[in-house]
């Protein structure tokens, strides 16, 4: 392969790696003596802003009382430690998919952090963590089609799986060459609005916050992802699951949790996602899910066994995201043929009923499911 093509391919997605085997990944929460989860403190909420290849994101999800589903996200991307790009994304799905969704994605200039690395700022954007670490205020005025002013206030403890929330990659656990980290506020109160060209959208409702760090090339870290954000009057259930490429033994890693007002019911690494019905996407050959089931399990603080199930049709697809849509066509072709990489994200928002069994008590409650199924390689 021409050297320029190798360079472009590596920068965009990363070439294939040797087969290291499952022992070359240390999944979160699997170290002996690790707790199933750790409640977050303010110190855990810091931006890392690493100086080597990584992608760090803060993402705020909202299920508004108006029926809108919203996503606000900052993506902080470092390439080879030589260049950092930052993007702010806003996505608003309208109730019942009644009209095309609102989407804006804008590069940011003059980005930085406060002294403690708790808050982010750039020209036209700020994500401010309050003094006691219980609320974020997201403001964005970089795109006239989506002027954002929303506050997310935590209404249940945040958590990370295991002791550190981190899965490490490498044949020497003491000197990992890559990592994957996630922590969450599963249950929040969202308040605010987005001003669009058509008027104001009230964003008051239920929210969720995710802070993620991929400390390596995304193509090397995971081949497939499932993400769940379910919100109902009594329960917030989140699930993040990824499967590594064959180079790391096609290992599945899961982080899950269920919160109610004021407390975490369960949290940890147990649970999973299954696509129970699929259809072939003729554009890229991925098996697009049409129905799915999701499972949670764990123990309460007093030792009570808890399981939860969420299953059914995913309904109308809200969006199919071609992750490499902005990549030049010739590079995209090289990536797909040489590395088997053609990343797409399928997004759905539908009403489903969660069934939660805590000890001998069973409760069922309808809520709104936002889910993503991502195929990379």
């Amino acid at each position: 392969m021409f050297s320029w093509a190798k360079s472009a391919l590596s920068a965009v997605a990363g070439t294939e790696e040797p087969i290291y085997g499952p022992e070359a990944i240390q999944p979160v929460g699997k170290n002996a003596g690790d707790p199933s989860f750790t409640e977050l403190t303010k110190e855990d909420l810091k931006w890392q802003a690493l100086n080597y290849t990584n992608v760090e994101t803060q993402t705020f999800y909202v299920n508004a009382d108006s029926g809108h589903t919203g996503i606000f996200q900052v993506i902080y991307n470092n390439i080879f430690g030589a260049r950092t790009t930052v993007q702010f994304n806003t996505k608003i799905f309208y109730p019942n998919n009644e009209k095309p969704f609102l989407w804006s994605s804008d590069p940011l200039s003059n980005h930085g952090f406060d002294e403690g690395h708790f808050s982010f700022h750039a020209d036209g954007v700020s994500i401010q963590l309050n003094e006691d670490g219980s609320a974020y205020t997201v403001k964005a005025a970089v795109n006239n089609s989506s002027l954002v002013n929303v506050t997310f206030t935590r209404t249940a403890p945040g958590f990370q799986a295991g002791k550190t929330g981190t899965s490490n990659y490498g044949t020497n656990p003491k000197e990992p060459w890559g990592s994957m980290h996630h922590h969450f506020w599963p249950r929040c109160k969202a308040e605010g609005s987005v001003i669009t060209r058509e008027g104001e959208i009230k964003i008051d409702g239920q929210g969720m916050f995710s802070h993620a760090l991929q400390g390596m090339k995304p193509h090397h870290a995971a081949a497939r992802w499932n993400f769940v954000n379910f919100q109902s009057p009594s329960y917030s259930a989140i699930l993040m699951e990824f499967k590594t490429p064959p180079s790391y033994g096609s290992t599945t890693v899961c982080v899950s949790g269920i919160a109610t007002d004021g407390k975490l019911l369960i949290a940890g690494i147990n649970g999973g996602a299954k696509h129970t019905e699929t259809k072939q996407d003729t554009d890229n050959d991925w098996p697009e899910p049409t129905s799915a089931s999701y499972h949670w399990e764990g123990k309460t603080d007093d030792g009570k066994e808890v399981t939860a199930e969420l299953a059914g049709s995913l309904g109308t697809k809200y969006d199919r995201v071609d992750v490499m849509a902005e990549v030049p066509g010739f590079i995209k072709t090289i990536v797909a043929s040489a590395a088997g990489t053609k990343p797409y994200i399928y997004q759905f928002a539908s009403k489903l009923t969660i069934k939660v069994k805590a000890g001998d008590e069973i409760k069922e409650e309808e809520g709104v499911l936002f889910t993503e199924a991502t195929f990379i390689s």
Side-chain angles (χ1 to χ4, degrees), residues 273-287:
K274 292 182 180 179
H275 298 166
T276 52
E277 294 183 23
T278 63
K279 65 179 181 181
Q280 208 71 11
D281 187 331
T282 55
D283 290 336
N284 55 39
D285 292 329
W286 289 126

Side-chain angles (χ1 to χ4, degrees), residues 17-172:
E17 291 189 291
I19 301 297
Y20 301 112
E23 62 274 8
I25 179 172
Q26 296 84 49
V28 62
K30 291 295 182 71
N31 293 321
D34 273 359
S36 59
F37 72 94
T38 305
E39 284 194 16
L40 299 181
T41 67
K42 185 178 179 180
E43 286 297 307
D44 296 312
L45 303 177
K46 290 184 175 183
W47 282 86
Q48 298 304 303
L50 302 176
N51 61 1
Y52 53 83
T53 297
N54 75 93
V55 180
E56 187 170 6
T57 61
Q58 283 194 342
T59 310
F60 299 83
Y61 301 86
V62 62
N63 294 340
D65 297 337
S66 61
H68 295 82
T69 299
I71 304 170
F72 312 100
Q73 180 182 61
V74 167
I75 303 177
Y76 185 96
N77 182 31
N78 188 303
I79 304 171
F80 302 130
R83 182 187 179 202
T84 298
T85 62
V86 186
Q87 200 87 2
F88 184 79
N89 299 329
T90 297
K91 198 169 196 175
I92 304 291
F93 294 110
Y94 289 87
N96 302 314
N97 215 8
E98 64 191 20
K99 59 190 292 188
F101 58 82
L102 171 70
W103 166 248
S104 61
S105 182
D106 299 280
L108 303 183
S109 302
N110 299 319
H111 64 270
F113 307 93
D114 67 351
E115 185 176 357
H117 271 221
F118 296 111
S119 299
F120 169 88
H121 60 81
D123 289 349
V125 170
S126 70
I127 299 179
Q128 189 79 26
L129 180 66
N130 68 354
E131 186 64 30
D132 67 1
S134 64
Y136 281 99
T137 297
V138 181
K139 294 183 178 181
V142 289
N143 193 308
N144 287 333
S145 67
S146 55
L147 303 176
V148 179
N149 187 352
V150 183
T151 296
F152 289 78
T153 303
R154 177 172 51 80
T155 58
F159 78 95
Q160 59 190 8
K163 185 177 181 180
T164 65
T166 303
S167 297
N168 288 317
Y169 295 70
T171 51
N172 181 356

Side-chain angles (χ1 to χ4, degrees), residues 54 76 87 110 118 130 177 190 192 201-202 204 206 228 231 251 263 270 277 289 309 312 318 326 334 368:
N54 75 93
Y76 185 96
Q87 200 87 2
N110 299 319
F118 296 111
N130 68 354
W177 59 54
I201 299 174
K202 296 294 288 183
D204 298 350
Q206 291 181 290
V228 170
Q231 302 287 336
T251 301
K263 70 175 183 179
N270 296 318
E277 294 183 23
E309 307 290 338
Y318 271 49
E326 303 303 320
I334 292 169
V368 177

Side-chain angles (χ1 to χ4, degrees), residues 138-350:
V138 181
K139 294 183 178 181
V142 289
N143 193 308
N144 287 333
S145 67
S146 55
L147 303 176
V148 179
N149 187 352
V150 183
T151 296
F152 289 78
T153 303
R154 177 172 51 80
T155 58
F159 78 95
Q160 59 190 8
K163 185 177 181 180
T164 65
T166 303
S167 297
N168 288 317
Y169 295 70
T171 51
N172 181 356
K174 295 182 179 180
E175 297 181 0
W177 59 54
S179 64
M180 187 85 77
H181 173 90
H182 292 82
H183 59 244
F184 302 95
W185 285 359
R187 191 167 178 86
C188 301
K189 179 182 180 181
E191 299 173 285
S193 66
V194 177
I195 305 298
T196 75
R197 297 184 189 277
E198 298 179 354
E200 181 182 30
I201 299 174
K202 296 294 288 183
I203 298 297
D204 298 350
Q206 291 181 290
M208 194 275 278
F209 164 67
S210 168
H211 189 150
L213 175 62
Q214 294 185 38
M216 60 193 300
K217 294 172 183 175
H219 166 74
H220 290 170
R224 299 190 178 192
W225 291 84
N226 282 293
F227 169 75
V228 170
N229 172 29
F230 175 83
Q231 302 287 336
S232 71
S234 302
Y235 299 107
S236 296
I238 64 100
L239 188 148
M240 184 282 302
E241 178 189 84
F242 67 89
K243 186 177 182 180
T244 70
S247 50
Y248 296 97
S250 298
T251 301
T252 298
V253 179
C254 180
V255 178
S256 64
I258 298 178
T260 60
D261 284 333
K263 70 175 183 179
L264 288 170
L265 186 62
I266 56 171
I269 60 172
N270 296 318
K274 292 182 180 179
H275 298 166
T276 52
E277 294 183 23
T278 63
K279 65 179 181 181
Q280 208 71 11
D281 187 331
T282 55
D283 290 336
N284 55 39
D285 292 329
W286 289 126
E288 174 188 333
T290 57
S291 295
S293 65
Y294 309 100
H295 173 73
W296 290 259
E297 61 181 83
K299 288 186 178 181
T300 61
D301 290 341
D302 58 5
K304 188 181 297 182
E305 297 280 352
V306 175
T307 61
E309 307 290 338
L310 188 65
S313 169
L314 297 178
T316 303
K317 178 176 62 188
Y318 271 49
D319 193 18
R320 185 192 68 175
V321 182
D322 181 354
V323 177
M324 299 184 69
E326 303 303 320
V327 175
F330 71 93
I331 295 180
K332 188 186 299 187
T333 302
I334 292 169
V335 169
S337 62
T341 301
K342 45 182 180 179
Y344 281 81
I345 305 172
Y346 298 85
Q347 296 178 320
F348 304 86
S350 57

